[in-house]
Amino acid sequence: MTQLERARRGEITPQMEAVAAKEGLDPEFIRRGIEKGTIVIPCNVNHKNLNPSGFGQGLSTKVNANIGTSDAFPETEKELDKLKAAVNAGADAVMDLSTGGDINLSRRRIIEASTVAVGTVPIYQAMVQGYEEHGNKVGLTADELFRVIEEQAADGVDFITVHCGVTMETIERLKNQGRITDIVSRGGAFMTGWMLHNRKENPLYEQYDRLLDIARKYDVTLSLGDGLRPGCLADATDRAQVQELIILGELVKRAHEAGVQAMVEGPGHVPMDQIEANIKLEKQLCHGAPFYVLGPLVTDIAPGYDHITAAIGGAIAAASGADFLCYVTPAEHLGLPDIDDVVDGVVASKIAAHAADIAKGVKGALERDIEMAKARKALDWQRQIQLSINPSRAGKVREAKNAPEQELCTMCGKFCAMKVVEEHLGKSCSN
Amino acid sequence: MTQLERARRGEITPQMEAVAAKEGLDPEFIRRGIEKGTIVIPCNVNHKNLNPSGFGQGLSTKVNANIGTSDAFPETEKELDKLKAAVNAGADAVMDLSTGGDINLSRRRIIEASTVAVGTVPIYQAMVQGYEEHGNKVGLTADELFRVIEEQAADGVDFITVHCGVTMETIERLKNQGRITDIVSRGGAFMTGWMLHNRKENPLYEQYDRLLDIARKYDVTLSLGDGLRPGCLADATDRAQVQELIILGELVKRAHEAGVQAMVEGPGHVPMDQIEANIKLEKQLCHGAPFYVLGPLVTDIAPGYDHITAAIGGAIAAASGADFLCYVTPAEHLGLPDIDDVVDGVVASKIAAHAADIAKGVKGALERDIEMAKARKALDWQRQIQLSINPSRAGKVREAKNAPEQELCTMCGKFCAMKVVEEHLGKSCSN
């Protein structure tokens, strides 16, 4: 039985207990959230060493790191290193997006090594295998696609991105809309190409019940993908995107009825002033299902710095109610991220998530900042480093710029404000 | 005569013309903004090679980079290199915060070399010289302080931060408030120490007319400093901070009456959900004077990444109406920034400013993103690099991750969404 089916029966599972303990919340709150569909705990029955996390309303904002091989970089080992680095930097989930080398091997080793939830986009593997099998991108059969999904589910994948909302109806809306960057979701693009070429409806939509059966069997959480997400600011929040979201809302409801946990994926590239509306829209159209956003990027012009662009958008999204941020690395729009990019991406998203959690009033969020403020006031450098989001980086910067054991830093030296105030205000004004 | 005095007489100066041309706006709009006090053009009559910029309502959001020597790093040449790097990365202004080595020499060479507005915090130099003269931090006399201000103004400084709002009244409010980090503004801390020790009112407040006389003589724009800005999230938007802002509002009015251009400085460390309120409060209490914010940082726990923390806060602040962002570098809270930190800080702030300008509907802002989106759609890598906020960085990342002349990037390879869509949707859906 899935977490949702068990929640519905009033059962508090060990996974719900674990999530409640991590969040400092009542297990019954978690159970109720799962029952309502506002919280998911992706935890495939076959992912043995998972330390489960919850995603959704009332919980701290979570961060996902995408890893995985590509044609140009097919080695599994490198991706295992990225997994380790991502989790070490604070990622709450990883997605294995492998499309190169031995895809099955990479996935299995990543699941085996991962204590955080592992997601995949099964269409990627299906696309690669279909290409090998048929020599083109359109020969893949629906059965082949479902076989990949079942295989990945059986391996222990905790959540899968499925572009079920890319339908003939949404494609028509897209054509009618007109866009600058058309479709930028790889899965969405592939599915669209397949549908137009074969003149057939999307099998993930048409045979949605078949998908639900697999998901229920292994308790795989569906992450309803946004194949029509905007690929640039000018395309944001258009009719094609919203049409797909409407359909995803219907599919959330069907998943829920079938006892399958579901969340919804969102953009992408969105101007700052449209982010809140996007979040409210998803919550409203999709019955409060957890919202998993990619970025969003608040400008298109910053390749090389898209972790920063995404941190701005992600913070605003999370403060407006988004539950789960997919990181974006400095390599986005330029190439496959390396291990340093992965760390930079995770940390930037964690900053966004934490800043939003303070704004949302998530339990315990501000306390960490208060501890840091006290350490700063006390000029306690060791404690400041320790409390940092990435102690190793903070320590290195401090070391590079200051003599060891130096009490005051090289920015202000003896004119340190903390020192001057202490001399004259003493402890009189600290609380 | 100052720009404000000339605007009041209905005159459109060459500086107003230049700003209007840069912004693509009507010169009369600039003149009216200056007359109302909602726009300033910092342009000291003695800063000969200045290419003037406007700061304020209806204009694009501007970015400042702090540079300057310290005791530990006293060399002028290094700061000139930082000036060059900052302007090259897009800084609209720099502040010379030198406190080490030959302060007069550093300032004069920076002004001479700078085509963007140069600001200073005269209390820093006064503080250092006072320490040399009297052997302590409290012996400085009001006359000595004003002598430094006059000297810096005569050198061609375009705007000066003056902590006029740190008064006996605000210090009382601070004591009554209780804070974790008390005062973190160096100028604010120094002034408070001086006042408490000497039992005298702040000379910048008490002799404000003397300050206005100097400012008017050289058309120095006053940047009314926030000596009581919060130094951590928990101290944000407290009674001490708001008390000072009330007084700054009164001083804005007096500056305006005296024909002196003025802007107001703001926090600092502010939770995301309080940023908009801070901006509205300043605009309301200070007659719409341009708001110059430091960050704001939306969490305290990210030393080593405070350029990102500040980009999140700065984007929200600017979208809410802040006009001028002071950059924060990755070295903040750890030591003096080096040249790489300066570039990282400027670019992060430029991203924030640009994202906000799109949200605010600043003329021409979105157009640059549309050009980038078209280049992406066309897989035109050269043009993408060219349109990037930092072409040299984008180019380097692309080069490191891809073979030369490669059409598709190493992330998706032959499964590039752009390619797949082109094959099946053709040009049908692009507008």
Side-chain angles (χ1 to χ4, degrees):
Chain A
M1 275 204 304
T2 66
Q3 295 291 319
L4 172 52
E5 290 171 308
R6 294 165 75 177
R8 202 167 266 159
R9 288 159 40 126
E11 190 185 337
I12 287 177
T13 65
Q15 289 81 359
M16 297 175 205
E17 292 275 11
V19 167
K22 269 194 203 174
E23 305 273 345
L25 296 170
D26 182 18
E28 174 58 18
F29 173 84
I30 308 297
R31 189 202 64 75
R32 238 183 355 242
I34 293 173
E35 186 180 7
K36 283 187 292 183
T38 57
I39 291 176
V40 296
I41 302 181
C43 52
N44 187 309
V45 294
N46 288 342
H47 186 181
K48 296 304 178 195
N49 59 333
L50 174 70
N51 178 349
S53 287
F55 303 72
Q57 204 178 311
L59 309 184
S60 61
T61 306
K62 304 301 187 297
V63 167
N64 174 75
N66 288 336
I67 58 174
T69 59
S70 74
D71 234 12
F73 301 103
E75 303 116 275
T76 299
E77 290 303 328
K78 277 200 177 160
E79 301 313 308
L80 287 167
D81 289 343
K82 288 185 196 169
L83 164 69
K84 215 163 131 184
V87 173
N88 195 36
D92 305 287
V94 296
M95 292 192 78
D96 169 24
L97 306 185
S98 290
T99 55
D102 188 339
I103 298 177
N104 285 330
L105 177 75
S106 289
R107 181 180 58 258
R108 284 165 194 159
R109 293 207 49 201
I110 286 170
I111 293 170
E112 190 183 61
S114 180
T115 54
V116 301
V118 175
T120 58
V121 188
I123 192 76
Y124 288 0
Q125 184 174 12
M127 178 170 88
V128 173
Q129 290 181 357
Y131 192 85
E132 282 163 7
E133 181 72 23
H134 305 280
N136 59 54
K137 294 175 196 161
V138 291
L140 180 76
T141 68
D143 287 343
E144 286 168 351
L145 171 56
F146 278 102
R147 202 143 50 227
V148 169
I149 294 173
E150 171 99 35
E151 193 172 47
Q152 294 199 358
D155 278 348
V157 168
D158 302 294
F159 61 103
I160 53 172
T161 296
V162 274
H163 302 91
C164 307
V166 178
T167 66
M168 287 300 186
E169 189 182 9
T170 42
I171 294 173
E172 270 317 299
R173 283 267 139 66
L174 174 70
K175 287 184 184 167
N176 174 281
Q177 171 76 57
R179 270 188 175 182
I180 295 177
T181 56
D182 297 330
I183 302 178
V184 296
S185 149
R186 238 190 312 182
F190 181 84
M191 200 47 90
T192 301
W194 187 93
M195 290 162 64
L196 290 177
H197 179 88
N198 295 298
R199 296 166 197 266
K200 278 190 191 154
E201 186 50 279
N202 180 349
L204 295 172
Y205 179 74
E206 211 170 41
Q207 303 182 49
Y208 187 59
D209 287 331
R210 187 171 173 189
L211 186 61
L212 291 176
D213 287 341
I214 299 172
R216 192 174 38 242
K217 183 168 166 195
Y218 301 98
D219 200 359
V220 174
T221 299
L222 295 187
S223 190
L224 295 165
D226 53 339
L228 277 284
R229 68 167 174 271
C232 66
L233 263 60
D235 289 346
T237 329
D238 70 355
R239 295 187 297 271
Q241 181 199 324
V242 178
Q243 181 65 65
E244 183 183 33
L245 190 62
I246 289 174
I247 295 171
L248 296 185
E250 294 169 346
L251 298 178
V252 162
K253 196 173 165 215
R254 283 174 61 189
H256 196 248
E257 285 165 359
V260 170
Q261 302 190 86
M263 56 185 169
V264 172
E265 296 184 12
H269 294 241
V270 187
M272 282 179 68
D273 57 317
Q274 292 176 25
I275 294 175
E276 191 183 349
N278 269 272
I279 311 299
K280 302 283 181 216
L281 201 58
E282 186 275 343
K283 292 289 178 183
Q284 207 56 30
L285 295 176
C286 302
H287 308 270
F291 200 21
Y292 175 24
V293 296
L294 175 51
L297 302 174
V298 294
T299 172
D300 302 327
I301 65 163
Y305 300 89
D306 273 331
H307 60 312
I308 297 179
T309 317
I312 296 172
I316 299 171
S320 307
D323 308 286
F324 188 19
L325 305 179
C326 185
Y327 86 167
V328 175
T329 79
E332 186 74 21
H333 297 113
L334 295 168
L336 199 77
D338 62 24
I339 198 159
D340 290 336
D341 296 322
V342 167
V343 172
D344 282 348
V346 171
V347 173
S349 284
K350 290 292 283 184
I351 289 171
H354 178 70
D357 284 349
I358 293 170
K360 281 197 277 197
V362 165
K363 202 172 165 182
L366 184 62
E367 279 59 32
R368 211 171 143 192
D369 293 60
I370 290 176
E371 285 312 303
M372 176 64 91
K374 286 180 179 166
R376 285 209 170 118
K377 178 66 186 169
L379 293 168
D380 183 340
W381 290 96
Q382 210 183 330
R383 181 108 180 104
Q384 287 178 58
I385 302 298
Q386 202 178 75
L387 288 166
S388 295
I389 197 153
N390 183 352
S392 118
R393 160 98 174 231
K396 264 183 222 153
V397 177
R398 159 106 186 133
E399 231 171 74
K401 293 180 190 292
N402 301 275
E405 308 296 322
Q406 192 177 302
E407 187 193 14
L408 303 170
C409 89
T410 48
M411 187 175 261
C412 306
K414 67 175 171 287
F415 297 104
C416 172
M418 297 293 191
K419 269 290 176 204
V420 172
V421 169
E422 198 183 273
E423 285 161 23
H424 295 283
L425 275 176
K427 303 285 171 199
S428 68
C429 111
S430 301
N431 55 9
Chain B
M1 275 205 303
T2 66
Q3 295 291 319
L4 173 51
E5 290 171 308
R6 293 165 75 177
R8 202 166 268 159
R9 288 159 41 127
E11 190 185 335
I12 288 177
T13 65
Q15 289 81 1
M16 298 175 204
E17 293 275 11
V19 167
K22 270 195 205 174
E23 305 273 344
L25 296 170
D26 182 18
E28 175 57 18
F29 173 84
I30 308 296
R31 189 203 62 76
R32 234 176 6 236
I34 293 173
E35 187 181 4
K36 283 188 291 186
T38 58
I39 291 177
V40 296
I41 302 181
C43 54
N44 187 309
V45 293
N46 289 341
H47 186 182
K48 297 305 178 192
N49 59 334
L50 174 71
N51 179 348
S53 287
F55 303 72
Q57 205 179 313
L59 309 185
S60 61
T61 305
K62 304 300 186 299
V63 167
N64 175 75
N66 288 336
I67 58 174
T69 60
S70 73
D71 234 13
F73 300 104
E75 303 115 274
T76 299
E77 290 304 327
K78 278 201 177 159
E79 302 312 309
L80 287 167
D81 289 344
K82 287 186 197 168
L83 164 69
K84 217 164 131 184
V87 173
N88 195 37
D92 304 287
V94 296
M95 291 192 78
D96 168 25
L97 306 186
S98 290
T99 55
D102 188 338
I103 298 176
N104 284 330
L105 177 75
S106 289
R107 181 179 61 256
R108 284 165 194 160
R109 294 206 50 200
I110 286 170
I111 293 171
E112 192 183 60
S114 179
T115 54
V116 301
V118 176
T120 58
V121 189
I123 191 78
Y124 289 0
Q125 184 175 13
M127 180 171 86
V128 173
Q129 290 181 357
Y131 192 84
E132 282 163 9
E133 180 73 22
H134 305 280
N136 59 55
K137 295 174 195 162
V138 291
L140 180 76
T141 68
D143 286 344
E144 285 167 353
L145 170 57
F146 278 103
R147 202 143 48 226
V148 169
I149 294 173
E150 171 98 37
E151 193 172 47
Q152 295 198 357
D155 278 349
V157 168
D158 301 294
F159 61 103
I160 53 173
T161 295
V162 274
H163 302 91
C164 307
V166 178
T167 64
M168 286 300 186
E169 190 182 7
T170 42
I171 294 173
E172 270 317 300
R173 284 267 140 67
L174 173 71
K175 287 184 185 169
N176 174 281
Q177 171 74 58
R179 271 188 174 181
I180 294 177
T181 55
D182 297 329
I183 302 178
V184 296
S185 149
R186 238 190 311 182
F190 181 85
M191 200 46 90
T192 302
W194 187 94
M195 288 161 66
L196 291 176
H197 180 88
N198 294 297
R199 297 168 196 267
K200 278 190 193 157
E201 185 51 278
N202 180 349
L204 296 172
Y205 179 74
E206 211 170 41
Q207 303 182 49
Y208 187 60
D209 286 332
R210 189 173 171 186
L211 186 61
L212 291 176
D213 286 342
I214 299 171
R216 191 172 41 240
K217 184 169 164 192
Y218 300 98
D219 200 358
V220 174
T221 298
L222 295 188
S223 189
L224 295 164
D226 53 339
L228 277 283
R229 68 170 174 269
C232 66
L233 263 61
D235 289 345
T237 328
D238 70 352
R239 296 188 297 273
Q241 181 199 324
V242 179
Q243 181 65 65
E244 183 183 33
L245 190 62
I246 290 174
I247 294 171
L248 296 185
E250 294 170 345
L251 298 178
V252 162
K253 195 174 167 215
R254 284 174 61 190
H256 196 248
E257 286 164 357
V260 170
Q261 301 190 87
M263 56 187 169
V264 172
E265 296 185 10
H269 294 240
V270 186
M272 283 179 67
D273 57 318
Q274 293 177 23
I275 294 175
E276 191 183 349
N278 269 270
I279 311 299
K280 301 284 182 216
L281 201 58
E282 186 274 344
K283 292 289 178 185
Q284 208 54 30
L285 295 176
C286 302
H287 308 272
F291 200 20
Y292 175 24
V293 296
L294 174 51
L297 303 174
V298 294
T299 171
D300 302 327
I301 65 162
Y305 300 89
D306 274 330
H307 60 312
I308 297 179
T309 317
I312 297 172
I316 300 171
S320 307
D323 308 285
F324 187 20
L325 306 179
C326 186
Y327 86 167
V328 175
T329 79
E332 187 73 20
H333 296 114
L334 294 168
L336 199 76
D338 61 25
I339 199 158
D340 290 336
D341 296 322
V342 167
V343 172
D344 283 348
V346 170
V347 174
S349 285
K350 289 293 283 185
I351 289 171
H354 179 70
D357 283 349
I358 293 169
K360 281 196 277 196
V362 165
K363 202 172 165 182
L366 184 62
E367 279 59 32
R368 211 172 143 190
D369 292 60
I370 290 176
E371 285 312 301
M372 176 64 91
K374 287 180 179 166
R376 285 210 170 118
K377 178 68 187 166
L379 292 168
D380 183 341
W381 291 97
Q382 210 183 331
R383 181 108 179 103
Q384 287 178 56
I385 302 296
Q386 204 178 70
L387 287 165
S388 295
I389 197 153
N390 183 354
S392 117
R393 160 98 174 231
K396 264 183 223 154
V397 177
R398 160 103 187 135
E399 232 171 74
K401 293 180 190 293
N402 301 276
E405 308 297 319
Q406 192 177 302
E407 189 194 12
L408 303 170
C409 89
T410 49
M411 187 175 263
C412 306
K414 67 174 170 287
F415 297 103
C416 173
M418 297 294 191
K419 270 288 175 207
V420 172
V421 169
E422 198 183 272
E423 284 161 26
H424 296 282
L425 276 177
K427 303 284 172 199
S428 70
C429 112
S430 299
N431 56 7

